[in-house]
Amino acid sequence: WREKRHLHFDAFKNKLNDDIGKFKKKSTTNQFRDGKMDDKTMLAVVKDLPKYREMTRLFARHQNICKAAGKALKPKVPAITILQDLACGLSSDCSTLKPQTNWSVIKELLEKPETAYLDKASIALLYVIARGGMSNDEKSFFEDILDAGTMAAINNLQLLGVNTGKPSKPKALDKGHQEMIKTRLKRMIKEKGDAKSPK
């Protein structure tokens, strides 16, 4: 207004139209509406939107949570895998698995100081249940590695009808339950393979 207040009306009108034209030419909204905005400018405009900034912040937060969870979970994967194998009686490829097949891995996990106390106790208890007892060597190993409380829990499995002496025939999983587990594992393996296959 300070620049144009002394202009003649026609001159003012022309000048105003020119200024509006220049403003429209520079306006990102107008460029977007006319389809003249290049991808780089459009991306810059989108990134400047408050909603975009908020969603980016939330995405970054969730990504950090996922990374932290993955970092915390990674050391526990071997113990989780063994626990699943012992509980199901099946390996990850759906083949029947005898508990003693994993004995060397179990010993290694129980000897590691970083293996969580509850994981050690769960592995030992499930091993004895699935094995149908424990040999003298296995019992000696457990007594050397595990604390008195965990050993008491293992010995008290007898109160639940579980043999804790020389291994006998372990209690088999119900056939229907075993078939259900196999079917689910095979489906998961197939889906995982399909996801990796190129479309």
Side-chain angles (χ1 to χ4, degrees):
W1 169 250
R2 285 195 301 270
E3 293 175 3
K4 300 175 179 62
R5 60 183 175 172
H6 297 302
L7 294 175
H8 186 274
F9 180 75
D10 281 342
F12 172 79
K13 180 185 68 174
N14 293 336
K15 180 67 175 167
L16 185 62
N17 284 335
D18 288 344
D19 288 347
I20 291 173
K22 289 176 183 176
F23 174 78
K24 283 184 175 180
K25 193 172 182 181
K26 291 179 180 178
S27 168
T28 52
T29 304
N30 203 60
Q31 290 176 38
F32 178 76
R33 188 185 298 121
D34 295 342
K36 295 176 181 177
M37 186 183 293
D38 60 274
D39 294 342
K40 189 175 180 181
T41 307
M42 188 179 294
L43 182 61
V45 171
V46 171
K47 283 184 175 180
D48 198 44
L49 294 173
K51 186 69 175 177
Y52 179 90
R53 292 199 299 270
E54 173 65 12
M55 294 304 291
T56 302
R57 186 181 65 80
L58 290 173
F59 178 78
R61 181 189 294 173
H62 282 82
Q63 199 172 36
N64 290 337
I65 291 171
C66 286
K67 284 180 180 177
K71 189 177 179 180
L73 187 62
K74 190 174 180 180
K76 294 177 69 68
V77 169
I80 292 169
T81 303
I82 287 293
L83 285 168
Q84 182 176 332
D85 290 351
L86 290 171
C88 297
L90 299 167
S91 63
S92 57
D93 63 356
C94 300
S95 58
T96 304
L97 190 68
K98 291 181 178 179
Q100 54 269 38
T101 306
N102 280 332
W103 178 242
S104 59
V105 180
I106 289 170
K107 283 178 67 177
E108 186 181 338
L109 280 170
L110 295 182
E111 286 172 337
K112 284 183 177 178
E114 58 267 31
T115 303
Y117 169 79
L118 285 176
D119 288 339
K120 288 184 178 183
S122 300
I123 289 169
L125 286 162
L126 268 175
Y127 180 80
V128 173
I129 294 168
R131 176 98 155 92
M134 51 185 165
S135 67
N136 290 333
D137 288 343
E138 290 165 349
K139 185 175 182 180
S140 296
F141 175 77
F142 285 149
E143 288 172 342
D144 289 341
I145 292 294
L146 304 173
D147 65 291
T150 303
M151 280 310 301
I154 291 173
N155 291 324
N156 285 338
L157 286 173
Q158 297 175 71
L159 302 174
L160 300 173
V162 176
N163 177 40
T164 59
K166 185 179 177 182
S168 59
K169 188 175 181 182
K171 182 176 171 60
L173 281 174
D174 175 75
K175 190 174 181 181
H177 181 64
Q178 195 172 43
E179 287 304 314
M180 178 191 72
I181 294 172
K182 277 187 177 182
T183 303
R184 287 183 179 177
L185 283 172
K186 284 177 181 176
R187 188 187 305 132
M188 288 169 64
I189 291 167
K190 183 179 183 303
E191 287 172 356
K192 191 175 180 181
D194 291 344
K196 286 184 178 179
S197 300
K199 301 294 182 186

